Structures are given as C-alpha cells and as structure tokens.
Amino acid sequence: MTRALTLTAALLAALSTAASAVTYPLTLTDDLGRKVTIKAEPKRIVSALPSTSETLCAIGACDKLVGVDDYTDYPAQAARLPKVGGLYNPNFEAMIALKPDLVIISKYGKLEPTLTQAGIPVLAINPETYDEVFSKTLTLGKVVNREAQAKALVTTMKRDIAKVEILTKNAVRKPTAYYEIDPTPYSIGPNSFMGVLLTKAGARNIIPASMGDFPKVDPEFIVKANPQLILGVDAKTAGARPGWTSIAALKTGKTQEIPAELGNILSRPGPRLPQALRGLAKIIHPELFK
C-alpha cells in the first residue's frame, strides 16, 4: 500500500512538472528595462546577488549555479562555489572563465555592457520592495524552469510570515522606530522590503514613504521624530551624536544593534524573509515569544 502511494505521488509530481514546464525561448523584460530572450533552460548560471543565489537554491536550482558573487554565504552549497567579485568590483575574467549560459545581475553595478559584449546572456533581477521579493521569486522560477517550486516557496513564505503577524497584531504597544542600515546615516522607507518587515514586526517606522525606500536621513529629522526605539545603532554611538540624548529611545534604553547574523538575513530580499521577520519581531516584542 505504501509503495503504491509512493508511486502515485511520484507520478503526480512528474505530471505536474511536465504540465508546468516552461517553453523556451522565453522572452521577458528585466529590471534594466531590456527585452531579454532566454533561448533554452539555463544550465550554467552565475549569480551576482546573494538573494538570487539563495532563491535559486530554495527552488531546487542550486545545481545550476557555477559561480556566485563575493557576498553569497548561504546556503553552504552556493557559498562553496567560485566567487566572481561584488556589485561594484566584478571579476569579469572569472565570470567569463566559468562559461555561463546566463548571468543574473542587479540593475546596479553596470555589469551588463561588458558581459553582453562578451556574448554572455544577462538578466537583471533586482527585488527591492516587499511584493517584489515574491514576484521576482516567481520570475526566477520561470527562468530556470522551476515554476511549481517557486510557487510553493512563495506560499510557504507567506504562510510563515502570517504566523508572525498574528503574534505582533496583538502587541499592546507598537513603538515608533528608527532603523539604521548605515551610519552615514541611511535608513529604510516603509515601502522597502525591510520597511514592510519592520511594520509587520510590530513597530511604526518614523521614515515617511516620501523619503524613498532606502533614504539618507538628516540626523536632525531623527531627533525631531523622537523615536521610541532605535535599531541598528548601539547606545554609546547613538548617545554621542549631537542632540540624540534627548530622544525617547535613548532615555529609556531602547537602542539596540542588530545581531550580525540577523542583520545579514534582513538585508537579503529572498527566501529567508520569514526568518528575518521573526528575528526582528523578537527584538521589538520579546514578550510575545516567551
């Protein structure tokens, strides 16, 4: 009986895969606004973004990766692959030497002209907003012929995010918050994927949408906004800034750095979004996770 059920499940899976197989050539508009035609299912991919590497692995296409950017450190299978530089210091020779049939890049960093000139197909996929994390996951699924896996991943991610939201919805108080991603200082707008996570984690972002997704912020604005919670800066650093000792978060000791591992996950618009949200929610509302 068990064997029969196993065979049936395998058959259904095979039929499902066959029914949802992507037809190539596949033409789509990438995040550089270019019409890109992928002639056949990619088999040798170089990923120039950690979030792309993680997404490809999460949808069962890790074995298609032959090279990754310097910052890809998860999962282990991808982290062990040859490195091809970063966004602003790409190693084109290393990329070309890997003989990729597709390089998936960010819309930033200006990698496209050199790679295209070398005859290598290039696709820019660059999720920045919360919704784009899911839509770009589906796009990647289509590109690598893993549509069913991409849809399943999106469903799982949304389900796990909803579990955290149920908890934070019941928070008695939702503090106003300033989240610093760079000491220059740069922060996160409410419509960025990180800004949406901050709200879902049970905080109220002091940065208005009009400032953009990842704005450079005038320190005077932060002082005037008087957030009840400051994330991404330790108390000593924040307290040394002119006028910041008057901020409510400093007075009540609600200033906290983000642990390095969590900060790493929070910066990746990819499949670990639910994990990032849970970690952030635990910092903002530890009482909900006892």
Side-chain angles (χ1 to χ4, degrees):
M1 182 66 177
T2 301
R3 177 177 170 76
L5 289 174
T6 301
L7 289 172
T8 302
L11 178 59
L12 288 173
L15 289 172
S16 174
T17 301
S20 61
V22 174
T23 301
Y24 298 91
L26 173 68
T27 299
L28 63 162
T29 301
D30 76 355
D31 286 340
L32 288 172
R34 304 175 310 135
K35 287 281 186 185
V36 177
T37 297
I38 299 169
K39 295 179 180 178
E41 181 178 333
K43 299 186 183 304
R44 296 183 60 82
I45 299 174
V46 168
S47 165
L49 275 178
S51 58
T52 296
S53 307
E54 291 189 23
T55 301
L56 289 175
C57 289
I59 62 176
C62 214
D63 59 344
K64 292 177 178 290
L65 286 170
V66 295
V68 295
D69 72 294
D70 286 353
Y71 301 100
T72 289
D73 54 9
Y74 183 90
Q77 184 179 349
R80 288 193 294 265
L81 291 169
K83 304 294 187 183
V84 296
L87 192 62
Y88 299 106
N89 60 335
N91 186 337
F92 290 112
E93 288 185 359
M95 289 187 196
I96 295 168
L98 291 169
K99 298 179 179 178
D101 54 13
L102 181 65
V103 178
I104 303 178
I105 64 172
S106 163
K107 66 181 177 183
Y108 305 107
K110 299 180 179 178
L111 277 69
E112 184 272 329
T114 301
L115 292 170
T116 298
Q117 193 172 21
I120 296 173
V122 179
L123 181 69
I125 295 183
N126 204 102
E128 290 185 322
T129 68
Y130 177 76
D131 288 339
E132 283 177 346
V133 175
F134 303 104
S135 64
K136 305 297 183 184
T137 295
L138 296 176
T139 299
L140 282 172
K142 180 173 290 188
V143 168
V144 299
N145 197 18
R146 297 290 187 275
E147 279 193 295
Q149 293 89 334
K151 289 177 182 176
L153 174 61
V154 166
T155 298
T156 301
M157 289 170 66
K158 289 184 175 179
R159 181 198 63 199
D160 292 344
I161 286 170
K163 289 179 180 176
V164 178
E165 283 188 276
I166 290 171
L167 290 175
T168 57
K169 188 179 179 182
N170 294 322
V172 176
R173 293 180 181 177
K174 296 185 177 180
T176 55
Y178 166 67
Y179 190 124
E180 185 167 292
I181 57 173
D182 182 279
T184 311
Y186 277 88
S187 188
I188 54 175
N191 293 327
S192 67
F193 75 93
M194 293 181 72
V196 172
L197 291 183
L198 182 62
T199 301
K200 288 182 180 295
R204 292 175 288 153
N205 195 346
I206 65 166
I207 305 298
S210 58
M211 283 189 176
D213 287 343
F214 297 98
K216 185 174 183 178
V217 186
D218 182 345
E220 283 292 321
F221 168 85
I222 301 165
V223 173
K224 289 179 181 176
N226 195 26
Q228 297 164 322
L229 174 66
I230 293 178
L231 298 170
V233 192
D234 65 83
K236 183 179 179 181
T237 301
R241 293 174 178 174
W244 280 45
T245 53
S246 66
I247 296 176
L250 271 294
K251 291 181 177 178
T252 58
K254 299 292 185 182
T255 302
Q256 185 170 338
E257 281 190 294
I258 300 293
E261 184 179 0
L262 176 59
N264 181 295
I265 299 172
L266 277 163
S267 68
R268 307 274 173 91
R272 291 191 288 170
L273 220 57
Q275 188 177 337
L277 173 59
R278 178 170 286 273
L280 189 58
K282 280 184 176 179
I283 290 176
I284 298 172
H285 292 290
E287 75 280 5
L288 299 176
F289 293 87
K290 291 180 179 176

